Amino acid sequence: MYKRQVEGLTEFLPISSTGHLILVGDLLNFNDERGKAFEVIIQFGAILAVCWEFRAKLWSVLGSIGSNKLSQRFLLNLVIASVPAMALAFVFGKHIKAVLFAPIPVATAFIVGAFIIFWAERRQQTQSSNTKSHIQSVDDLSPWDALKVGIAQCAALVPGTSRSGATIIGGMLFGLPRAVATEFSFFLAIPVIGAATLYESFKLWKSPVTISGEYGLAIGIGFVAAFISAFICVRWLLHYVAHHNFKPFAWYRIAFGLLILFTSYTGLIAWSH
């Protein structure tokens, strides 16, 4: 139950859904093959929520891809931004999972990411007072802008960093307005997380894990819960960025990261290593 709620609520916030899933899975002793299968399927529910929220834009792009240059550039930007992280994940994914997919590295990434958010917010505030960006929507992004966001997304391979956080904050550091960086991050989640889900699903298909009975029911409920909570989260965040900054998320990351480190140091929780 906790994992499906965590996935939907944290997938698109700059607080790392993967990091939270690792921590919750460690507490529940659910980071085995069954737990990984559960994560893969409910993650797909979160992606469908994004597709539904932006269905008008997606249908418009797909319907005019043969003749509309803006649609062609939009699709090209998604491809360009997706390649760097996908390539690094393909080459280093197994090593990263073996070394960094544990509570203490996640807690450390939470805290480091928080200070980067503070830095990005201060930098954007300075830029906003001096100059106005020529980029007002995702359709204004150039392939070079997309590549820079894609490079920033590579940081999300470190669990606890946050894919949405890396792309949104990275985009802000590269001069994108907060709202544009946030919206592009949502669109970018579709090919990146979609590809990761398909890859993990293929591995699941070849694994001995059987989805049936109560476990199958739990996955079905988790899928629906992830879709609903992710949809609410996307709607809320789009409204939030129009009037607020990301500093509250940075404070949350610091508090949560310090809590994990404190409980580990004092022995209150026997986190895995």
Side-chain angles (χ1 to χ4, degrees), residues 110-191:
F110 276 157
I111 297 171
V112 172
F115 287 103
I116 295 176
I117 290 176
F118 285 133
W119 174 40
E121 286 291 355
R122 183 175 181 179
R123 190 168 183 271
Q124 177 145 119
Q125 185 177 12
T126 302
Q127 288 180 333
S128 299
S129 61
N130 294 332
T131 59
K132 185 175 182 179
S133 175
H134 66 283
I135 298 173
Q136 300 301 314
S137 74
V138 292
D139 289 328
D140 296 328
L141 295 175
S142 69
W144 176 236
D145 293 321
L147 178 59
K148 289 188 288 187
V149 173
I151 293 172
Q153 184 173 230
C154 293
L157 294 175
V158 178
T161 299
S162 169
R163 190 209 63 83
S164 59
T167 51
I168 296 172
I169 302 304
M172 289 168 57
L173 288 172
F174 288 127
L176 302 185
R178 183 184 291 104
V180 175
T182 301
E183 188 172 344
F184 188 65
S185 174
F186 288 144
F187 284 118
L188 188 54
I190 298 173

Side-chain angles (χ1 to χ4, degrees), residues 47-261:
I47 288 301
L48 284 183
V50 175
C51 293
W52 180 254
E53 171 64 22
F54 293 104
R55 60 192 182 280
K57 173 67 175 178
L58 295 175
W59 279 119
S60 174
V61 169
L62 293 175
S64 61
I65 193 66
S67 58
N68 190 302
K69 290 187 177 180
L70 283 179
S71 296
Q72 293 168 358
R73 188 172 66 181
F74 176 80
L75 187 60
L76 175 63
N77 285 345
L78 289 182
V79 173
I80 291 173
S82 301
V83 169
M86 286 184 178
L88 286 180
F90 180 78
V91 176
F92 300 109
K94 289 184 178 179
H95 182 69
I96 291 172
K97 286 185 177 181
V99 176
L100 298 178
F101 272 53
I104 302 307
V106 166
T108 304
F110 276 157
I111 297 171
V112 172
F115 287 103
I116 295 176
I117 290 176
F118 285 133
W119 174 40
E121 286 291 355
R122 183 175 181 179
R123 190 168 183 271
Q124 177 145 119
Q125 185 177 12
T126 302
Q127 288 180 333
S128 299
S129 61
N130 294 332
T131 59
K132 185 175 182 179
S133 175
H134 66 283
I135 298 173
Q136 300 301 314
S137 74
V138 292
D139 289 328
D140 296 328
L141 295 175
S142 69
W144 176 236
D145 293 321
L147 178 59
K148 289 188 288 187
V149 173
I151 293 172
Q153 184 173 230
C154 293
L157 294 175
V158 178
T161 299
S162 169
R163 190 209 63 83
S164 59
T167 51
I168 296 172
I169 302 304
M172 289 168 57
L173 288 172
F174 288 127
L176 302 185
R178 183 184 291 104
V180 175
T182 301
E183 188 172 344
F184 188 65
S185 174
F186 288 144
F187 284 118
L188 188 54
I190 298 173
V192 172
I193 302 180
T197 301
L198 289 176
Y199 175 69
E200 293 295 338
S201 297
F202 177 72
K203 290 169 58 179
L204 173 62
W205 178 66
K206 296 176 64 178
S207 75
V209 177
T210 301
I211 301 175
S212 60
E214 291 184 359
Y215 180 57
L217 178 61
I219 283 182
I221 296 173
F223 176 87
V224 174
F227 175 88
I228 295 173
S229 55
F231 178 75
I232 294 172
C233 179
V234 169
R235 280 277 180 98
W236 176 82
L237 189 59
L238 286 171
H239 176 74
Y240 176 88
V241 297
H243 308 284
H244 304 84
N245 59 44
F246 290 120
K247 290 181 181 179
F249 297 108
W251 286 117
Y252 169 82
R253 292 175 65 103
I254 290 174
F256 195 43
L258 289 177
L259 177 63
I260 302 305
L261 295 178

